[in-house]
Amino acid sequence: MPVQHDLAQDFPEFGEALKTLARTDAEFGSLLERYQRLDKTIVEAERAANLDDDKLNQLRRERVLTKDKIARKLERA
């Protein structure tokens, strides 16, 4: 079953930093938007089974890379 990935749950120790950086750091805000867009696309594709495995795996890799960038920025905040 497809599951949405909530960054606040994945990074509970950075709850305030997530909110603050989203408001004050344009690059961080763009990363959050990209992550959320990728996650939504992946969840919808998994539910509908309308993407081939290669494309779905590519989207998942992009989501992981984006999440890694978010994590690095949070750790430096």
Side-chain angles (χ1 to χ4, degrees), residues 3-10 35-36 39 43 63 67:
V3 176
Q4 280 192 282
H5 295 258
D6 182 6
L7 290 172
Q9 289 179 347
D10 291 344
Y35 181 85
Q36 291 165 346
D39 192 53
V43 169
R63 179 177 61 187
K67 186 175 182 178

Side-chain angles (χ1 to χ4, degrees), residues 8-34:
Q9 289 179 347
D10 291 344
F11 300 115
E13 68 277 19
F14 293 113
E16 282 304 311
L18 267 168
K19 293 175 191 172
T20 301
L21 285 172
R23 286 191 318 266
T24 61
D25 184 324
E27 180 184 357
F28 187 81
S30 293
L31 285 171
L32 285 180
E33 288 175 13
R34 177 173 176 72

Side-chain angles (χ1 to χ4, degrees), residues 58-69:
Q58 177 186 353
L59 290 171
R60 288 176 178 146
R61 282 190 295 277
E62 288 179 40
R63 179 177 61 187
V64 168
L65 292 173
T66 303
K67 186 175 182 178
D68 287 346
K69 290 177 184 178

